[in-house]
Amino acid sequence: MSTSPPPAAASPPVDRRTLIADTAIGLVAAAGLRGLTHRAVDGAAGLPAGSTSYYFRTRTALIGACYQRLAELDLADVDGGSPAGAAAPALPGASGRGPAAREAAAAALAGLLYRWLTVGRERQLARFELSLEAARNPELEADLRRAGRGARVRAAGIVAALGADRPEEAAELLVAWTEGILYDRLAGALARSRPAPDLTELTAVARRMLAAALAGPA
C-alpha cells in the first residue's frame, strides 16, 4: 500500500512592514529619495493600493522604518546571520586579546566590507541617501540616531573584547573609518574608476584600522 508524502510546510508569510521597508530601501537605492512614494512602494511590493500608507502614514514614518530595517540588516551581517546572500563571518565577541584574535577580527571586518561593497552595495547606497535626508529633516534625527546607536554599541563590545582601554572611543573611530571606506568606494569621486573590491587588500586595511583603534589616544 503506497502512501503519499506529507505536504510541504508552507513558507511563513512575510511581515508586511518588513516587506514595505525592504521595498522602500530598494527604491531609494535605485532612484534616490525622489523615487520613494507610498504608491511606488505599493506597486513594487505587489501590494494593494494604500497598503504602505496604512502601515506608515507619512513619508517621514516610512523613512524611519527604512532606518530601522537597515540597522537590523547591518547588525545581522556583523553577527554573521544576514538573510540576504552568503553569510558574512561573524565578528568576535569575547574571543581573546592576543594577535590571533585581532587577526581573526581583521579578517571578519574585511569580510563585512567586501560584502557591503558587493552584494550589499545597493543597501549601503540607500543608507547614504537616507542619512542625508535626516541631516535636512529634524523629524528624522531621532530615528537615525537610534539606528546608528546599535552599530556603535556592537563595535564597542568587539573592541573591548580585543583589549581596547576606551572601547566607546575606539568604536567611534572604527565605525567612522568603516563608513568612510564604504562611502569613498561606493559614492566617492573615484568610485567608478576603482578596481573591484579585493578581499586581501581589504584585510590589510581592516588590520590597520583595528590596530589604530585599539592603540588608544596618543
Side-chain angles (χ1 to χ4, degrees), residues 90-169:
L91 282 167
S95 58
R97 301 189 173 197
R102 292 192 181 195
E103 187 61 26
L109 178 55
L112 281 174
L113 287 168
Y114 184 84
R115 179 184 180 82
W116 289 338
L117 291 169
T118 54
V119 297
R121 177 180 183 276
E122 298 305 311
R123 193 205 317 165
Q124 298 305 316
L125 287 173
R127 190 166 59 82
F128 295 146
E129 290 266 7
L130 292 163
S131 297
L132 288 172
E133 180 67 10
R136 305 184 190 101
N137 185 348
E139 292 184 58
L140 291 167
E141 185 179 353
D143 288 321
L144 179 62
R145 187 184 304 113
R146 191 179 305 112
R149 189 179 298 122
R152 284 158 178 79
V153 169
R154 193 66 51 88
I158 290 165
V159 294
L162 293 170
D165 293 329
R166 299 182 182 178
E168 289 78 14
E169 293 180 15

Side-chain angles (χ1 to χ4, degrees), residues 3-148:
T3 58
S4 300
S11 300
V14 176
D15 175 75
R16 279 205 173 183
R17 289 178 179 272
T18 300
L19 173 61
I20 289 169
D22 286 342
T23 304
I25 290 166
L27 288 172
V28 173
L33 283 165
R34 68 181 181 276
L36 183 62
T37 66
H38 287 75
R39 181 179 296 180
V41 175
D42 286 342
L47 294 173
S51 297
T52 299
S53 61
Y54 174 80
Y55 289 98
F56 304 103
R57 297 297 299 172
T58 66
R59 194 166 185 267
T60 297
L62 181 58
I63 292 174
C66 291
Y67 289 147
Q68 181 178 342
R69 180 61 173 159
L70 286 165
E72 176 186 320
L73 291 170
D74 282 350
L75 288 178
D77 282 347
V78 172
D79 293 336
S82 173
L91 282 167
S95 58
R97 301 189 173 197
R102 292 192 181 195
E103 187 61 26
L109 178 55
L112 281 174
L113 287 168
Y114 184 84
R115 179 184 180 82
W116 289 338
L117 291 169
T118 54
V119 297
R121 177 180 183 276
E122 298 305 311
R123 193 205 317 165
Q124 298 305 316
L125 287 173
R127 190 166 59 82
F128 295 146
E129 290 266 7
L130 292 163
S131 297
L132 288 172
E133 180 67 10
R136 305 184 190 101
N137 185 348
E139 292 184 58
L140 291 167
E141 185 179 353
D143 288 321
L144 179 62
R145 187 184 304 113
R146 191 179 305 112

